[in-house]
Amino acid sequence: MNVLIRLDRITKDYGPLRALEDVSLALGPGVIGLLGPNGAGKSTLIKILMGLVRLSSGSGEVLGYRLGSQVRRIRARVGYMPEDDCYIAGLSGVEMVRFAARLSGLPSIEAMRRAHEILDFCGVEEERYRMVETYSTGMRQKLKFAQAIVHDPPLLILDEPTAGLDPEEREAMLGRVRLLAQRMGKSVLISTHILPDVQAICDTVVILAKGRVRIVEPLEVLCRPASPVWRVRVFGPPDLLLERIRREGGEVRLEPDGTLALSAANGIAERIWDWARDAGVGIRALAPAKNSLEQIFLEAVREGNHADS
Amino acid sequence: MPIHDLGYRAWQGRLVPEVFRFWAITVTGIRLAWQNRWLRRIVYVTWLPAIYLSVGFLLYEQFLAKDIPARALKQFITSFPVDDNAVGDDRHGVWSWLLWVFFRYPQGLLMVLVVGLIAPPLISRDVRTRAFLLYFSRPITRLEYLLGKMSVVWVYLVAITTVPALLLYVAAVFLSPDFSVVRETWDLPLRILGATLVLTIPTTLVALAFSSLTSDTRYASFAWFALWAIGWVTYGVAMASLNGTLDDRWTLISPYHTLGRVQSWVFGLERGPLAQPVLPALVELMVLSVVSLAVLVRRISSPMRI
């Protein structure tokens, strides 16, 4: 696997407080969701990746460059969108994005051209000529995103990119991230509390709790139940089909929303069509069941708390 | 979606070499500072003393040509270092004195105002808006950040001191009888650069250190002006109470007078048996610079620790 981020037994202490403990990770390209409750160490981990804070112990690499000694090269190839409300006072939106491009080394005229192009992409219209101090939270989020991608980095690190956005803007932001990942081949590390965002765009999930890594799995694997289950929804009452499945020896249960959860053993999915026809029931939906990310997250955090106590 | 929206496109181009990255910070800082109407007015005013002193050079050259008496020079500036009996062959000394006067009095005072308008917001504003995260997530080191910010102040200080002083020297050469005076005074442009270094390095570092210590620009401005005012007042009070018989070491309590001492040494005016040692003043400026630099480095690093 082409490793994007490799961390080896990283520990970070802020005085007596241990923010990260023994964190080891090897993450490949794709969209990675970094999840964890408040104080889990997500922002510290991101700041370590950006070289903004020093490691207490351990080592690591980002895009093949060593943390600490090659931080300048890392920063040149990473676009970082901080969670904090931060901006360069006294500049208009387009000037701020241009300034960010200049700091990354783009020539002056090219930086201005690129700033306009990226602001178009981010949906910042005429507001780009206003002072950033006058921007709303949502506009600032867009601006922070724009400055993170203006130098066309191969890796984006986004800390709470959808915080403070209305539903429409949130969807648009996720769409941009998805487009960058799928069409432009960017890798993205997203730190967020919003689980539907992770489910919407991430390939891999990392769950941190109390400074330790609890889970690193592809989303698809993570959400797969321990034993395969099919979820069946039918037109009308499901009782007839339920009875028929039980009669055939299938393991099934009726969920409160009327969905049938069917243990998928021995090609049962193929036979369900026949049983449904025999029972005179139409199948509306048939899909493999998934675990809820929220449940997985809560369990991981709970396990982390138990392990510590 | 606007019709010119091209969507996201990859960018492949040649990057500016890393050593010039700090210049982006400088250019932006200069532009932001220039938006201040008061700064623009003061910068224009700072050129008036150069015009005034060019008349001093003209009168001195007239005096050497015996067209006017020394009295006329004294009317122009009472402390003009020439008298009626002097043959006036110390052109180097007089030119040095005029250039020192330019640095010491009008520009020394105007410098305090200009730096007081430029420097306080330079770092305090970044502290307030947490702009550090944006700077240091770029391929910029803390030293380059600092260099970029210091260069903003340097550019303005050079514009109000070095450039007019060098032009004053050029004007003096043109006002003299022939270009042979360059042989006699060739070192003065170098002394101007030396005086510029003495002026810019400690003042910039101190002003930026104040700026880095607060997120409120007003406090940094207050501290800057207070530093100079307290020095002036203390020195003035001490001078008045001792009827002007103050030991020369007392100049060390006033940054303004300390700067003046070192600059007079740079222009070669501290000569003869009565010359006071310049070393204490030089050491004071160096200590001030080193302490300010230490504060700056620490304060610039601290926002990243949380």
mmCIF file of all heavy atoms in Angstrom, chain A residues 1-8 24-30 32 49 59-67 74 77-78 154-155 187-188 204 206 216:
data_model
loop_
_atom_site.group_PDB
_atom_site.id
_atom_site.type_symbol
_atom_site.label_atom_id
_atom_site.label_comp_id
_atom_site.label_asym_id
_atom_site.label_seq_id
_atom_site.Cartn_x
_atom_site.Cartn_y
_atom_site.Cartn_z
ATOM 1 N N MET A 1 0.850 -1.213 0.000
ATOM 2 C CA MET A 1 0.000 0.000 0.000
ATOM 3 C C MET A 1 0.873 1.247 0.000
ATOM 4 O O MET A 1 1.867 1.315 0.706
ATOM 5 C CB MET A 1 -0.888 -0.019 1.250
ATOM 6 C CG MET A 1 -1.810 1.163 1.325
ATOM 7 S SD MET A 1 -2.956 1.069 2.720
ATOM 8 C CE MET A 1 -1.903 1.320 4.104
ATOM 9 N N ASN A 2 0.505 2.217 -0.805
ATOM 10 C CA ASN A 2 1.202 3.501 -0.826
ATOM 11 C C ASN A 2 0.793 4.275 0.432
ATOM 12 O O ASN A 2 -0.354 4.678 0.565
ATOM 13 C CB ASN A 2 0.766 4.232 -2.100
ATOM 14 C CG ASN A 2 1.497 5.518 -2.278
ATOM 15 O OD1 ASN A 2 2.476 5.772 -1.591
ATOM 16 N ND2 ASN A 2 1.005 6.323 -3.195
ATOM 17 N N VAL A 3 1.724 4.459 1.351
ATOM 18 C CA VAL A 3 1.343 5.044 2.643
ATOM 19 C C VAL A 3 1.406 6.568 2.595
ATOM 20 O O VAL A 3 2.398 7.146 2.170
ATOM 21 C CB VAL A 3 2.251 4.519 3.772
ATOM 22 C CG1 VAL A 3 1.885 5.168 5.090
ATOM 23 C CG2 VAL A 3 2.086 3.014 3.886
ATOM 24 N N LEU A 4 0.317 7.162 3.009
ATOM 25 C CA LEU A 4 0.187 8.613 2.993
ATOM 26 C C LEU A 4 0.690 9.194 4.312
ATOM 27 O O LEU A 4 1.477 10.133 4.346
ATOM 28 C CB LEU A 4 -1.295 8.917 2.844
ATOM 29 C CG LEU A 4 -1.752 10.274 2.421
ATOM 30 C CD1 LEU A 4 -1.459 10.470 0.963
ATOM 31 C CD2 LEU A 4 -3.256 10.390 2.659
ATOM 32 N N ILE A 5 0.208 8.612 5.383
ATOM 33 C CA ILE A 5 0.585 9.057 6.732
ATOM 34 C C ILE A 5 1.016 7.822 7.523
ATOM 35 O O ILE A 5 0.275 6.839 7.581
ATOM 36 C CB ILE A 5 -0.606 9.737 7.444
ATOM 37 C CG1 ILE A 5 -1.026 11.013 6.691
ATOM 38 C CG2 ILE A 5 -0.271 10.066 8.888
ATOM 39 C CD1 ILE A 5 -2.328 11.616 7.177
ATOM 40 N N ARG A 6 2.207 7.911 8.070
ATOM 41 C CA ARG A 6 2.666 6.801 8.916
ATOM 42 C C ARG A 6 3.106 7.393 10.257
ATOM 43 O O ARG A 6 3.962 8.283 10.294
ATOM 44 C CB ARG A 6 3.849 6.097 8.256
ATOM 45 C CG ARG A 6 4.296 4.830 9.003
ATOM 46 C CD ARG A 6 5.690 4.404 8.580
ATOM 47 N NE ARG A 6 5.784 4.135 7.158
ATOM 48 C CZ ARG A 6 5.401 3.001 6.571
ATOM 49 N NH1 ARG A 6 4.909 2.029 7.316
ATOM 50 N NH2 ARG A 6 5.519 2.842 5.274
ATOM 51 N N LEU A 7 2.497 6.898 11.317
ATOM 52 C CA LEU A 7 2.867 7.379 12.654
ATOM 53 C C LEU A 7 3.318 6.188 13.476
ATOM 54 O O LEU A 7 2.693 5.116 13.427
ATOM 55 C CB LEU A 7 1.672 8.050 13.344
ATOM 56 C CG LEU A 7 1.064 9.259 12.621
ATOM 57 C CD1 LEU A 7 -0.138 9.770 13.396
ATOM 58 C CD2 LEU A 7 2.081 10.368 12.443
ATOM 59 N N ASP A 8 4.388 6.372 14.208
ATOM 60 C CA ASP A 8 4.937 5.268 14.970
ATOM 61 C C ASP A 8 5.081 5.667 16.443
ATOM 62 O O ASP A 8 5.949 6.450 16.804
ATOM 63 C CB ASP A 8 6.305 4.893 14.363
ATOM 64 C CG ASP A 8 6.863 3.648 14.995
ATOM 65 O OD1 ASP A 8 6.085 2.859 15.550
ATOM 66 O OD2 ASP A 8 8.098 3.468 14.939
ATOM 67 N N SER A 24 -0.087 4.849 16.784
ATOM 68 C CA SER A 24 0.562 4.289 15.600
ATOM 69 C C SER A 24 -0.499 4.125 14.524
ATOM 70 O O SER A 24 -1.589 3.611 14.788
ATOM 71 C CB SER A 24 1.194 2.939 15.918
ATOM 72 O OG SER A 24 2.239 3.107 16.840
ATOM 73 N N LEU A 25 -0.163 4.581 13.329
ATOM 74 C CA LEU A 25 -1.129 4.552 12.231
ATOM 75 C C LEU A 25 -0.394 4.374 10.912
ATOM 76 O O LEU A 25 0.746 4.831 10.777
ATOM 77 C CB LEU A 25 -1.866 5.892 12.123
ATOM 78 C CG LEU A 25 -3.024 6.223 13.031
ATOM 79 C CD1 LEU A 25 -3.441 7.666 12.795
ATOM 80 C CD2 LEU A 25 -4.193 5.306 12.738
ATOM 81 N N ALA A 26 -1.043 3.748 9.961
ATOM 82 C CA ALA A 26 -0.523 3.740 8.586
ATOM 83 C C ALA A 26 -1.736 3.917 7.692
ATOM 84 O O ALA A 26 -2.574 3.017 7.587
ATOM 85 C CB ALA A 26 0.192 2.441 8.294
ATOM 86 N N LEU A 27 -1.843 5.103 7.106
ATOM 87 C CA LEU A 27 -3.038 5.419 6.318
ATOM 88 C C LEU A 27 -2.665 5.584 4.851
ATOM 89 O O LEU A 27 -1.691 6.269 4.518
ATOM 90 C CB LEU A 27 -3.680 6.708 6.833
ATOM 91 C CG LEU A 27 -4.157 6.675 8.293
ATOM 92 C CD1 LEU A 27 -4.533 8.067 8.766
ATOM 93 C CD2 LEU A 27 -5.342 5.732 8.442
ATOM 94 N N GLY A 28 -3.454 4.954 4.010
ATOM 95 C CA GLY A 28 -3.224 5.064 2.577
ATOM 96 C C GLY A 28 -4.024 6.187 1.973
ATOM 97 O O GLY A 28 -4.735 6.906 2.688
ATOM 98 N N PRO A 29 -3.918 6.365 0.651
ATOM 99 C CA PRO A 29 -4.665 7.452 -0.011
ATOM 100 C C PRO A 29 -6.179 7.237 0.117
ATOM 101 O O PRO A 29 -6.621 6.124 0.358
ATOM 102 C CB PRO A 29 -4.227 7.347 -1.471
ATOM 103 C CG PRO A 29 -3.009 6.493 -1.462
ATOM 104 C CD PRO A 29 -3.096 5.603 -0.284
ATOM 105 N N GLY A 30 -6.912 8.306 -0.068
ATOM 106 C CA GLY A 30 -8.366 8.234 0.017
ATOM 107 C C GLY A 30 -8.881 9.312 0.940
ATOM 108 O O GLY A 30 -8.142 10.235 1.301
ATOM 109 N N ILE A 32 -10.141 10.062 4.562
ATOM 110 C CA ILE A 32 -10.047 9.457 5.890
ATOM 111 C C ILE A 32 -10.796 10.331 6.888
ATOM 112 O O ILE A 32 -10.547 11.542 6.967
ATOM 113 C CB ILE A 32 -8.567 9.330 6.316
ATOM 114 C CG1 ILE A 32 -7.816 8.482 5.290
ATOM 115 C CG2 ILE A 32 -8.441 8.742 7.713
ATOM 116 C CD1 ILE A 32 -6.407 8.904 5.084
ATOM 117 N N LEU A 49 0.841 16.609 12.602
ATOM 118 C CA LEU A 49 1.055 16.307 11.178
ATOM 119 C C LEU A 49 1.526 17.549 10.425
ATOM 120 O O LEU A 49 2.322 17.464 9.495
ATOM 121 C CB LEU A 49 -0.231 15.780 10.537
ATOM 122 C CG LEU A 49 -0.767 14.449 11.053
ATOM 123 C CD1 LEU A 49 -2.082 14.096 10.380
ATOM 124 C CD2 LEU A 49 0.239 13.344 10.822
ATOM 125 N N SER A 59 7.779 8.873 16.171
ATOM 126 C CA SER A 59 8.213 9.419 14.874
ATOM 127 C C SER A 59 7.097 9.209 13.865
ATOM 128 O O SER A 59 6.123 8.506 14.134
ATOM 129 C CB SER A 59 9.491 8.723 14.421
ATOM 130 O OG SER A 59 9.229 7.345 14.250
ATOM 131 N N GLY A 60 7.260 9.804 12.710
ATOM 132 C CA GLY A 60 6.223 9.651 11.701
ATOM 133 C C GLY A 60 6.608 10.283 10.386
ATOM 134 O O GLY A 60 7.616 10.982 10.294
ATOM 135 N N GLU A 61 5.794 10.008 9.390
ATOM 136 C CA GLU A 61 6.014 10.564 8.057
ATOM 137 C C GLU A 61 4.678 10.992 7.468
ATOM 138 O O GLU A 61 3.655 10.346 7.725
ATOM 139 C CB GLU A 61 6.596 9.497 7.126
ATOM 140 C CG GLU A 61 8.045 9.173 7.372
ATOM 141 C CD GLU A 61 8.542 8.097 6.418
ATOM 142 O OE1 GLU A 61 7.735 7.561 5.628
ATOM 143 O OE2 GLU A 61 9.741 7.792 6.474
ATOM 144 N N VAL A 62 4.718 12.055 6.698
ATOM 145 C CA VAL A 62 3.550 12.463 5.926
ATOM 146 C C VAL A 62 4.012 12.602 4.488
ATOM 147 O O VAL A 62 4.995 13.320 4.219
ATOM 148 C CB VAL A 62 2.974 13.813 6.430
ATOM 149 C CG1 VAL A 62 1.822 14.270 5.549
ATOM 150 C CG2 VAL A 62 2.507 13.695 7.869
ATOM 151 N N LEU A 63 3.373 11.894 3.596
ATOM 152 C CA LEU A 63 3.740 11.882 2.177
ATOM 153 C C LEU A 63 5.218 11.528 1.987
ATOM 154 O O LEU A 63 5.881 12.011 1.073
ATOM 155 C CB LEU A 63 3.442 13.247 1.529
ATOM 156 C CG LEU A 63 1.988 13.694 1.525
ATOM 157 C CD1 LEU A 63 1.867 15.160 1.166
ATOM 158 C CD2 LEU A 63 1.176 12.857 0.553
ATOM 159 N N GLY A 64 5.724 10.703 2.873
ATOM 160 C CA GLY A 64 7.116 10.258 2.760
ATOM 161 C C GLY A 64 8.124 11.203 3.385
ATOM 162 O O GLY A 64 9.320 10.922 3.365
ATOM 163 N N TYR A 65 7.670 12.319 3.963
ATOM 164 C CA TYR A 65 8.591 13.272 4.602
ATOM 165 C C TYR A 65 8.485 13.134 6.124
ATOM 166 O O TYR A 65 7.382 13.023 6.655
ATOM 167 C CB TYR A 65 8.259 14.703 4.182
ATOM 168 C CG TYR A 65 8.438 14.913 2.700
ATOM 169 C CD1 TYR A 65 7.332 15.052 1.867
ATOM 170 C CD2 TYR A 65 9.699 14.952 2.127
ATOM 171 C CE1 TYR A 65 7.485 15.219 0.499
ATOM 172 C CE2 TYR A 65 9.855 15.121 0.763
ATOM 173 C CZ TYR A 65 8.746 15.254 -0.047
ATOM 174 O OH TYR A 65 8.900 15.414 -1.388
ATOM 175 N N ARG A 66 9.640 13.187 6.756
ATOM 176 C CA ARG A 66 9.681 12.951 8.205
ATOM 177 C C ARG A 66 9.091 14.123 8.994
ATOM 178 O O ARG A 66 9.350 15.293 8.664
ATOM 179 C CB ARG A 66 11.131 12.737 8.653
ATOM 180 C CG ARG A 66 11.653 11.345 8.368
ATOM 181 C CD ARG A 66 12.993 11.138 9.039
ATOM 182 N NE ARG A 66 13.954 12.161 8.668
ATOM 183 C CZ ARG A 66 14.638 12.174 7.526
ATOM 184 N NH1 ARG A 66 14.452 11.211 6.642
ATOM 185 N NH2 ARG A 66 15.490 13.136 7.250
ATOM 186 N N LEU A 67 8.311 13.783 9.989
ATOM 187 C CA LEU A 67 7.788 14.820 10.894
ATOM 188 C C LEU A 67 8.972 15.439 11.642
ATOM 189 O O LEU A 67 9.897 14.737 12.012
ATOM 190 C CB LEU A 67 6.828 14.214 11.912
ATOM 191 C CG LEU A 67 5.490 13.719 11.393
ATOM 192 C CD1 LEU A 67 4.709 13.062 12.523
ATOM 193 C CD2 LEU A 67 4.676 14.846 10.802
ATOM 194 N N ILE A 74 6.529 19.055 4.054
ATOM 195 C CA ILE A 74 5.167 18.579 4.330
ATOM 196 C C ILE A 74 4.176 19.726 4.107
ATOM 197 O O ILE A 74 3.174 19.569 3.408
ATOM 198 C CB ILE A 74 5.059 18.047 5.780
ATOM 199 C CG1 ILE A 74 5.913 16.790 5.939
ATOM 200 C CG2 ILE A 74 3.615 17.765 6.152
ATOM 201 C CD1 ILE A 74 6.030 16.286 7.367
ATOM 202 N N ARG A 77 3.126 20.587 0.681
ATOM 203 C CA ARG A 77 2.309 19.614 -0.049
ATOM 204 C C ARG A 77 0.987 19.304 0.635
ATOM 205 O O ARG A 77 0.267 18.402 0.226
ATOM 206 C CB ARG A 77 3.108 18.319 -0.223
ATOM 207 C CG ARG A 77 4.221 18.481 -1.235
ATOM 208 C CD ARG A 77 5.296 17.436 -1.080
ATOM 209 N NE ARG A 77 6.369 17.667 -2.027
ATOM 210 C CZ ARG A 77 7.351 18.559 -1.835
ATOM 211 N NH1 ARG A 77 7.386 19.286 -0.750
ATOM 212 N NH2 ARG A 77 8.292 18.738 -2.755
ATOM 213 N N VAL A 78 0.717 20.014 1.703
ATOM 214 C CA VAL A 78 -0.525 19.777 2.443
ATOM 215 C C VAL A 78 -1.335 21.071 2.488
ATOM 216 O O VAL A 78 -0.779 22.151 2.683
ATOM 217 C CB VAL A 78 -0.213 19.297 3.885
ATOM 218 C CG1 VAL A 78 -1.488 19.169 4.704
ATOM 219 C CG2 VAL A 78 0.511 17.967 3.858
ATOM 220 N N PRO A 154 -1.520 17.788 -2.762
ATOM 221 C CA PRO A 154 -2.040 16.426 -2.940
ATOM 222 C C PRO A 154 -2.785 15.899 -1.711
ATOM 223 O O PRO A 154 -3.578 14.980 -1.811
ATOM 224 C CB PRO A 154 -0.777 15.591 -3.192
ATOM 225 C CG PRO A 154 0.357 16.395 -2.655
ATOM 226 C CD PRO A 154 -0.056 17.835 -2.717
ATOM 227 N N LEU A 155 -2.516 16.491 -0.548
ATOM 228 C CA LEU A 155 -3.190 16.050 0.683
ATOM 229 C C LEU A 155 -3.862 17.238 1.355
ATOM 230 O O LEU A 155 -3.246 18.290 1.541
ATOM 231 C CB LEU A 155 -2.163 15.429 1.643
ATOM 232 C CG LEU A 155 -2.649 15.103 3.062
ATOM 233 C CD1 LEU A 155 -3.752 14.054 3.063
ATOM 234 C CD2 LEU A 155 -1.488 14.631 3.942
ATOM 235 N N SER A 187 -5.995 13.248 -1.596
ATOM 236 C CA SER A 187 -6.285 12.525 -0.369
ATOM 237 C C SER A 187 -6.736 13.532 0.667
ATOM 238 O O SER A 187 -6.245 14.676 0.664
ATOM 239 C CB SER A 187 -5.046 11.792 0.120
ATOM 240 O OG SER A 187 -4.757 10.744 -0.776
ATOM 241 N N VAL A 188 -7.660 13.129 1.510
ATOM 242 C CA VAL A 188 -8.243 14.073 2.460
ATOM 243 C C VAL A 188 -8.315 13.434 3.842
ATOM 244 O O VAL A 188 -8.735 12.280 3.965
ATOM 245 C CB VAL A 188 -9.672 14.499 2.021
ATOM 246 C CG1 VAL A 188 -10.207 15.604 2.906
ATOM 247 C CG2 VAL A 188 -9.702 14.928 0.564
ATOM 248 N N THR A 204 -12.162 5.562 4.844
ATOM 249 C CA THR A 204 -11.551 4.958 6.030
ATOM 250 C C THR A 204 -11.901 5.789 7.254
ATOM 251 O O THR A 204 -12.023 7.010 7.141
ATOM 252 C CB THR A 204 -10.013 4.931 5.863
ATOM 253 O OG1 THR A 204 -9.711 4.269 4.643
ATOM 254 C CG2 THR A 204 -9.325 4.203 7.010
ATOM 255 N N VAL A 206 -10.875 6.623 11.322
ATOM 256 C CA VAL A 206 -9.981 6.488 12.470
ATOM 257 C C VAL A 206 -10.743 7.056 13.666
ATOM 258 O O VAL A 206 -11.208 8.195 13.603
ATOM 259 C CB VAL A 206 -8.678 7.287 12.265
ATOM 260 C CG1 VAL A 206 -7.788 7.195 13.498
ATOM 261 C CG2 VAL A 206 -7.931 6.807 11.030
ATOM 262 N N VAL A 216 -9.200 1.723 13.407
ATOM 263 C CA VAL A 216 -8.781 2.177 12.072
ATOM 264 C C VAL A 216 -9.289 1.120 11.101
ATOM 265 O O VAL A 216 -8.776 0.004 11.061
ATOM 266 C CB VAL A 216 -7.240 2.267 11.927
ATOM 267 C CG1 VAL A 216 -6.877 2.887 10.596
ATOM 268 C CG2 VAL A 216 -6.629 3.029 13.057
#
